Amino acid sequence: MDNAPARQNILLVGFMGCGKSAAGRLIAAKLGFQFVDTDRLVVRNTGLQIVEIFQKHSEACFRDQETLALKSLRNHTGRVIATGGGIVLRKTNAALLRRLGFVAWLTAREEVILERVLRNDKRPLVQTGTPRETIRQLLAQRIPLYNAAAQCVIDTDGKTIQEVADAVIFEARRTF
Ligand code: S3P
């Protein structure tokens, strides 16, 4: 693709349900980059679904696996890396993200997040009796962390996946 960013990585951070994977796949296709999803790496490396890791082991165990997944990407370039919504919780991860490439933060309205995360039972952290309240609390805790980790913020509200992908590529090109 003409004027593609140099083959550094592009990383997508943000809360569950903000479209990181969907946008990430499209960005990768547009740039001829490879798409990687840290959640998928964790599932592949452990042989367990994320819900199982939380239930049979612990959230801390899942976070350790997330860090290992990020570290395993250190020598790679030309990737679009979608990350789990809690990746910014660990300081080590935030530093790793920045070292890996350009970090874009995708946001969405609380209602949109709620509707998307309740579509299935794959996200253990919101399997509570009061998911809206849970989402609010997690967002309050995490927004400053996304903000500190990212080099740009893309509001996905009212945008198609195509528009989100183009906005990320535009921001990445300004930086690379
Ligand atoms: C999590 C988000 C999930 C997944 C796990 C924990 C979180 O990824 O990593 O369920 O802590 O926000 P998505 O953001 O892709 O849903």
Side-chain angles (χ1 to χ4, degrees):
M1 183 178 178
D2 284 342
N3 200 22
R7 290 184 68 80
Q8 286 193 38
N9 302 299
I10 294 177
L11 295 106
L12 302 179
V13 300
F15 204 76
M16 297 171 253
C18 287
K20 291 164 289 180
S21 298
R25 270 191 208 98
L26 191 53
I27 295 165
K30 279 171 176 270
L31 297 177
F33 280 22
Q34 192 182 329
F35 176 71
V36 185
D37 184 322
T38 57
D39 281 348
R40 287 201 173 189
L41 284 181
V42 169
V43 170
R44 199 181 68 193
N45 293 343
T46 59
L48 293 170
Q49 294 303 311
I50 291 169
V51 179
E52 292 178 301
I53 303 174
F54 274 73
Q55 283 172 355
K56 293 187 185 160
H57 301 278
S58 61
E59 179 173 346
C61 172
F62 174 74
R63 301 293 170 209
D64 289 341
Q65 289 298 327
E66 272 187 319
T67 302
L68 287 176
L70 273 186
K71 283 187 176 163
S72 74
L73 294 167
R74 272 188 304 200
N75 296 323
H76 297 284
T77 57
R79 314 235 157 161
V80 179
I81 304 165
T83 61
I87 202 104
V88 290
L89 291 172
R90 289 210 172 158
K91 265 197 180 152
T92 23
N93 293 354
L96 278 167
L97 290 169
R98 289 300 277 265
R99 229 178 296 150
L100 280 167
F102 178 77
V103 185
W105 170 23
L106 304 192
T107 65
R109 267 180 307 123
E110 202 181 284
E111 281 70 32
V112 175
I113 291 173
L114 184 69
E115 192 267 320
R116 288 191 187 150
V117 300
L118 293 183
R119 277 185 202 159
N120 60 51
D121 55 5
K122 291 187 175 159
R123 291 172 170 112
L125 286 180
V126 289
Q127 304 303 310
T128 64
T130 51
R132 183 184 288 273
E133 193 47 42
T134 304
I135 288 169
R136 263 189 207 148
Q137 284 168 5
L138 291 174
L139 276 171
Q141 175 197 22
R142 293 177 180 187
I143 282 172
L145 303 175
Y146 296 131
N147 195 32
Q151 287 155 281
C152 78
V153 51
I154 310 289
D155 180 0
T156 66
D157 286 331
K159 289 195 182 72
T160 61
I161 294 174
Q162 183 82 32
E163 287 167 336
V164 172
D166 288 342
V168 172
I169 292 170
F170 178 80
E171 293 295 337
R173 278 195 180 125
R174 284 171 10 136
T175 310
F176 283 162

